Structure formats: C-alpha cells, structure tokens
Amino acid sequence: MASGSDHGLKRIVWKRIKDTIIADCRKSEVWKILILDPFTTKLLSSCCKMSDLMSEKITIVEDLYKSREPVLEMKAIYFMSPTAKCVDAFIADFKPKPKYKAAYVYFTDYCPDDLFNNMKLYCAKYIRVCKEINMSFMPQEAQVFTCDNPGAFRSIYSPKSSDKQKTLETLADQLVTLCATLDEYPGVRYKKENNTENAKILAELVDSKLATHYELDDSGKKKGKTQAQLLIVERGFDPVSPILHELTYQAMAYDLIDIQNDTYKYKSKDGSEKQAVLNEDDMLWVKLRHKHIAEVSEQIPKMVKEISASKKQPDGKITISNLAQMMKKMPSFRKQLTEKTIHLQLAEDCMQQFSNNVEKLCKAEQDLAVGSDVDGVKVKDPMRTLLPVLLHPYSTHDKIRAVLLYIFSLNGTTDENLSKLIQYVKIEEEREFILNWKELGVPIITAPSSIFSRKQSRRDRSQEQTYNLSRWTPVIKDVMEDAVENKLDTREWPHQSECPAAWNGSGAVSARQKHKASAQDERRTGSRLIIFIIGGISYSEMRSAYEVTQAVKSCEVIIGEHTYITN
C-alpha cells in the first residue's frame, strides 16, 4: 500500500483543503494567519505539515480559543466547526475592535442560520469569504476515518442517555461530509438486528441527508448514485474481534505498549528518552503494520543487516547496542538506521510482552473465539478452556477478556454461572465491564434453556494459511468480501437505498484471488465500499479493509467509526 501522505483519505482531504481554502489565499500575495479550533487543528495535522502551509503563504497558525495579539495589517483565515462556541470566539475577534484586516471564514459543515446571522450582524464588513466545505470527519489512515466523537458511544448505548437521537444526527451529518469529500453518492445498507435499531436509524438519517445534499450539484444538475456502497453495522455483530489479543504488528503494539497519540516512547541504550510517531509518513511502519509479529521480528534485523553489509559492517547479531555504535561511527547513514532501530525496539518490546504473558493466553482465546482447537477439534466444553486462564496469575483485564470470550462462545450464560465466575476471578468491581455488553445487543445473561453455542455463518477459510495463534478472522472481513462479490443477503442487509444496478464491486471476484498489481489511482476508477461501525473498530478490522482492497483491485474499502477501540 502507498502511504497515506501520497494516497488515500489524507491525500484527498489535503487536496480538498488546497482547492478551497488555499486556492482563495493564492488570489492574494499577502501572508496570512490561520486560526483553528481543536477539531480543525487535528484535521489539518492529520494531512499536512507546517512547511506545507508556509509554502502557501500561511505564516502563523493560532488557536481560536486562546487570547491573541491584534495584527491589523494581516488577513486571517478561520477554519472552524459551525458551533456557537466557535462563532462567539470569531465575533469576539472583531467586536468591539478588529484584530485583523479581514476574515476568510470556512466551516467544516453546514452553519445554522442563527449563527450565520450573528456573524453577519457584527462582522459583515470584515468577512471577505464565508464557505461551508463539508469536511467534519478525521482521516486516520489511508483507508480509515473517524468522526472523532468520544462521547458518541455513551450517548448511543447508555440506558441513561438523553441525547442518542442528536448524536446519531451528528454522525449522519459527518458521514455525508465524508461522502461529499469522496464525491460519492452511495447506496446505503444496514445490518438488521433483532434487539437494537441504531444501524437502521442511522442508515435512514444518512440516506435522507445525502438526498438533500445531492439534490442539486454545483452545475445545477441532480447528482445520481455513484459506484459506491455504504454499509452501517453495530459493534454487537462481532464482539469477539475487539476483545482478542491480535498478533499483527500495529494491533499488538497499540494493545500491549503504552502508545499515546500515536507516539511511541522508549529508552535508548544510553538511557536517554526517545520518541517516535507511528504514522504514514514512516514508510517502514506502513510496510510492516499489518504483518504478523513473527514476520516483523524476522524482517527488521534482515533490513538492518542489508544496510550494515552495504556499509561493510560485520554481519554479527543485530542488537540495539550494536546499532547505537554503528550510528555514532557512521553519521552518513544514521537517519536510515534510526527508522529501523525504532521498529527493532518496538518489535522487541512487543515480543517481550508476548513471551511474558500473551503467548499462553492466545491459545485459549483463539480456541474460544473459533470454537475449535488448532487441529480443528471442536471445543465441547468452553469452561475447560477458560479455567487454566483464570487459575494463572494474569492481569484482571486479561481475565475479563477471557471471561467475555467464554460468554460469547456460548451466546450468553446464566446469572448464577456469571456470578460464580466473577467471584472466582475476584472481579466484583468490574462486573459492569461484562454486563454492559448487553447494551450493545450482545447476549450476556440468558435462561439455561436458551444457551447454545454460537453458530454464525462464516466463510470457509480452511485453505488459507494462518498462524496457530491467529486463526480468528474478523466477521467484517466476511462482510467486505460478500459485499464486493454482491453476495450480501438482503434479509440481513436491507437496502435503505439501492446502488446502481451495475454495482458488484466493479468486477466481482473472490477477495482471495490473485491479481496483477495495479496503481492506486487506477483503483480510483473502480468502486468504493464504505463501512461504518457504530461502537468503534478494532485494528484487525482496519487491517481487513486493506487486505480486501489489495486482493480486489477494482474496489477500495474504507472503514470508519466514531471512536477508536484499541484491541
């Protein structure tokens, strides 16, 4: 895959910003100030660097909410969300006295009339441009987006929530801006569930808002449906994937290592504190992130040895200490080695965690998730699989994950059995962590007569090569492949609105079939499958989007959510 800085959502978002906000700036040779709110700060940071802005004659980036000194000779660009707080802060910059010569205002989404009228009332003579650019989502990776709404989960699933409908309306607006940015008018489908209707409600909202948005395009013509599908599904359709310990590099790193805001902090061998940002500017990260840790641990030392050999270094064992010495002696290729050193350290940290705890856990987790052991023998008594985990001094967090997998494997357990498990593991205070899954429509407490093993229809992957401790495949990958092959059951996945009759993933083929390589831009002429999971996505599900896209060159899969789940 190409990096997000070259391709994918981040590139598309940056191009859209350049074609609107920056294009207006170019009309004037004057240097300008860019003023951002917290959301647009994160949005811009995700897709461009300060040097990109400097090259477009933006000299200073300021915080909308912070006190700023007036610069009367300069024009200011305001890129902000259409909220009362942002508009009030904007008005304060020009009332009673202006801080800037003029204002170019760009909203991420539709600005309500009352806010717009307030701006006009107090600041009309200073506003040179006022546009809504339809971009209220965050490009997280080349094929991953988020609505950056951490409160959405509680609003949608808490029984005490009073703003669920408002939250779903907001998410619908954000999904419409995603489609507008991608220039797609997709057919909308949702996963039908018996005990929850959030996906259905959101699908209805999105479809209605899309119809309104595309009623007339810029040329005054009504836009027709494009070769795209939007699938909306709730987290409860696959509770297993976010609970399992994943052994691919990105998922493992974010699960086992304390990585905050994509920043990995570590100590070098001389004891100094170091940090590295794990994003798509790091091409080695892009290359390795979806590989199994076993492959990563093998490949990085090989890469380092190749560099060493090219610099006539001895071909000894690669360690952090050796690399440090090499870097001191040969500054000319220090930068080249730094990248490898970071990932060598991170992979070592992951493997250390794996060896200490996770390895033994993974076998039990995989057996419970898949319903059979590595030899294909069915797990007849899940409790026998669970008990060794509970008896071992694992962390409380890991034991809760194992108990949840046990309950999921049975499609629910009795209240009496759950109480015994909770007492046995001594997790009385964490009881709600388990019970709260019922709010997502996942059976947790069931009557004894209704308990049965989960028999979810899954695609046959018996011919695919897998690692023994990585046998589980996220359910969403089945969905992606079925959607691309036009095999989704309409009873399970009703159409809120139809796609064009020609939709079949632009040449429906098995997602496991080999294809000749094609450029990313060639795939842009194909179709798009956009998936939104209410309740969050896991890293294994993000990986699935890339894997299916790679296998089926004619269809790009984009996946998103309102809040990250780190698995």
Side-chain angles (χ1 to χ4, degrees):
M1 291 299 299
S3 79
S5 56
D6 295 327
H7 296 296
L9 283 174
K10 293 187 177 188
R11 182 201 64 160
I12 292 168
V13 166
W14 175 231
K15 184 178 185 301
R16 180 73 178 270
I17 290 169
K18 285 205 295 185
D19 290 348
T20 51
I21 300 174
I22 305 297
D24 287 341
C25 298
R26 288 199 193 106
K27 294 171 187 174
S28 166
E29 288 300 309
V30 184
W31 286 85
K32 295 183 179 68
I33 295 171
L34 179 62
I35 299 170
L36 306 170
D37 68 16
F39 178 84
T40 51
T41 299
K42 286 173 75 174
L43 177 60
L44 264 181
S45 299
S46 74
C47 63
C48 74
K49 296 184 176 72
M50 190 63 206
S51 56
D52 297 321
L53 297 174
M54 290 285 285
S55 67
E56 303 292 350
K57 292 194 173 294
I58 292 168
T59 182
I60 305 168
V61 178
E62 296 271 26
D63 186 331
L64 176 63
Y65 297 152
K66 288 186 179 174
S67 177
R68 285 166 273 113
E69 289 296 315
V71 190
L72 293 172
E73 69 276 13
M74 293 188 79
K75 296 176 182 178
I77 301 165
Y78 288 81
F79 183 26
M80 60 191 185
S81 308
T83 64
K85 186 177 180 182
C86 286
V87 170
D88 287 348
F90 168 78
I91 291 171
D93 281 356
F94 293 90
K95 178 192 170 190
K97 288 184 178 179
K99 283 185 176 174
Y100 309 106
K101 186 177 181 180
Y104 293 70
V105 183
Y106 300 87
F107 288 112
T108 56
D109 203 350
Y110 171 76
C111 181
D113 289 346
D114 59 328
L115 297 181
F116 181 75
N117 290 334
N118 264 358
M119 285 174 57
K120 204 161 65 169
L121 180 65
Y122 296 111
C123 313
K125 69 177 182 178
Y126 300 107
I127 298 173
R128 299 288 180 270
V129 172
C130 187
K131 291 182 180 177
E132 297 155 344
I133 67 168
N134 295 307
M135 196 180 287
S136 57
F137 67 94
M138 198 75 67
Q140 198 74 32
E141 290 184 3
Q143 290 173 231
V144 182
F145 70 93
T146 173
C147 294
D148 195 42
N149 187 344
F153 188 93
R154 181 178 289 274
S155 295
I156 294 169
Y157 289 112
S158 171
K160 298 174 183 175
S161 172
S162 59
D163 59 351
K164 179 163 93 167
Q165 185 64 26
K166 183 183 175 185
T167 299
L168 290 171
E169 291 265 4
T170 302
L171 292 177
D173 288 331
Q174 290 178 289
L175 286 172
V176 169
T177 72
L178 170 78
C179 295
T181 301
L182 295 172
D183 195 26
E184 298 285 12
Y185 187 1
V188 181
R189 300 176 76 172
Y190 63 92
K191 178 71 169 69
K192 190 175 182 180
E193 302 289 355
N194 294 326
N195 47 7
T196 174
E197 290 200 326
N198 295 315
K200 182 176 187 291
I201 295 167
L202 184 57
E204 289 170 350
L205 288 169
V206 171
D207 196 53
S208 170
K209 289 173 184 287
L210 276 169
T212 302
H213 179 81
Y214 282 125
E215 197 163 342
L216 290 175
D217 65 12
D218 293 339
S219 59
K221 296 176 183 176
K222 190 169 182 176
K223 186 179 178 72
K225 294 277 188 178
T226 57
Q227 291 291 332
Q229 266 199 92
L230 168 61
L231 304 182
I232 297 174
V233 61
E234 295 198 57
R235 179 67 270 161
F237 89 113
D238 173 13
V240 172
S241 292
I243 298 298
L244 281 175
H245 281 91
E246 250 272 324
L247 299 184
T248 47
Y249 188 37
Q250 181 185 34
M252 198 174 183
Y254 277 80
D255 187 7
L256 303 179
I257 311 300
D258 184 24
I259 295 171
Q260 301 291 335
N261 299 317
D262 298 326
T263 302
Y264 166 54
K265 295 181 180 179
Y266 62 101
K267 279 191 176 180
S268 63
K269 291 301 174 184
D270 63 6
S272 61
E273 293 280 344
K274 302 273 188 181
Q275 64 179 45
V277 179
L278 304 175
N279 62 23
E280 290 175 322
D281 292 329
D282 179 348
M283 290 306 296
L284 185 56
W285 171 247
V286 173
K287 181 179 179 179
L288 297 174
R289 64 185 171 186
H290 298 140
K291 292 183 183 292
H292 194 278
I293 191 65
E295 296 172 51
V296 174
S297 299
E298 188 180 304
Q299 284 185 22
I300 298 174
K302 277 185 182 175
M303 292 175 186
V304 176
K305 284 184 179 181
E306 285 168 10
I307 298 172
S308 305
S310 71
K311 298 295 178 183
K312 298 182 180 177
Q313 287 293 308
D315 214 22
K317 186 182 177 185
I318 301 300
T319 66
I320 302 295
S321 302
N322 290 352
L323 288 181
Q325 292 303 313
M326 287 161 61
M327 287 166 71
K328 284 177 185 173
K329 291 176 186 174
M330 308 187 70
S332 61
F333 72 116
R334 183 177 299 175
K335 186 179 177 183
Q336 198 179 4
L337 271 177
T338 298
E339 189 179 72
K340 274 75 177 178
T341 308
I342 291 162
H343 290 289
L344 188 64
Q345 182 70 58
L346 181 55
E348 279 184 11
D349 286 354
C350 287
M351 285 306 295
Q352 187 175 357
Q353 292 286 337
F354 175 73
S355 303
N356 291 349
N357 284 310
V358 179
E359 187 172 7
K360 291 172 186 173
L361 264 176
C362 281
K363 182 187 182 307
E365 288 184 353
Q366 291 291 316
D367 290 356
L368 288 168
V370 177
S372 59
D373 66 15
V374 71
D375 298 316
V377 178
K378 185 180 178 183
V379 175
K380 292 179 181 176
D381 183 4
M383 181 56 79
R384 291 185 67 177
T385 306
L386 175 66
L387 271 177
V389 175
L390 303 185
L391 291 168
H392 194 277
Y394 292 118
S395 70
T396 299
H397 183 63
D398 284 337
K399 288 183 179 182
I400 290 172
R401 286 164 80 159
V403 168
L404 280 168
L405 289 169
Y406 162 78
I407 294 169
F408 298 158
S409 74
L410 294 171
N411 214 38
T413 188
T414 64
D415 192 26
E416 181 186 8
N417 192 29
L418 180 59
S419 294
K420 284 180 182 176
L421 278 171
I422 286 171
Q423 287 170 14
Y424 188 77
V425 187
K426 296 183 176 63
I427 53 172
E428 285 85 351
E429 291 181 9
E430 288 84 7
R431 183 185 180 92
E432 292 303 308
F433 290 167
I434 295 170
L435 291 177
N436 282 344
W437 277 89
K438 72 180 185 295
E439 306 299 343
L440 279 69
V442 180
I444 298 295
I445 304 294
T446 51
S449 59
S450 63
I451 292 177
F452 58 91
S453 293
R454 183 178 67 250
K455 290 184 179 177
Q456 194 168 23
S457 177
R458 299 299 309 269
R459 289 178 76 107
D460 178 17
R461 299 184 185 275
S462 57
Q463 301 306 308
E464 295 182 22
Q465 287 187 330
T466 58
Y467 288 87
N468 290 346
L469 300 182
S470 301
R471 288 171 283 131
W472 172 261
T473 300
V475 180
I476 201 67
K477 188 172 184 183
D478 290 2
V479 172
M480 292 170 182
E481 293 175 349
D482 286 345
V484 167
E485 296 172 18
N486 207 19
K487 290 180 180 177
L488 284 183
D489 188 334
T490 53
R491 291 166 298 181
E492 291 184 21
W493 292 87
H495 289 270
Q496 184 61 42
S497 63
E498 294 286 343
C499 310
W503 165 269
N504 61 356
S506 281
V509 286
S510 168
R512 295 181 294 282
Q513 192 173 320
K514 295 293 182 185
H515 286 260
K516 291 180 181 177
S518 67
Q520 177 98 359
D521 286 332
E522 284 176 24
R523 189 165 60 240
R524 299 266 175 237
T525 62
S527 53
R528 272 198 181 98
L529 177 64
I530 304 166
I531 294 176
F532 185 77
I533 302 182
I534 305 172
I537 56 176
S538 63
Y539 287 105
S540 58
E541 291 165 328
M542 288 162 54
R543 172 172 50 83
S544 296
Y546 292 92
E547 289 173 347
V548 174
T549 302
Q550 279 291 86
V552 186
K553 300 295 181 184
S554 57
C555 182
E556 180 186 40
V557 183
I558 292 173
I559 190 167
E561 37 70 88
H562 46 78
T563 318
Y564 257 164
I565 291 179
T566 305
N567 68 327

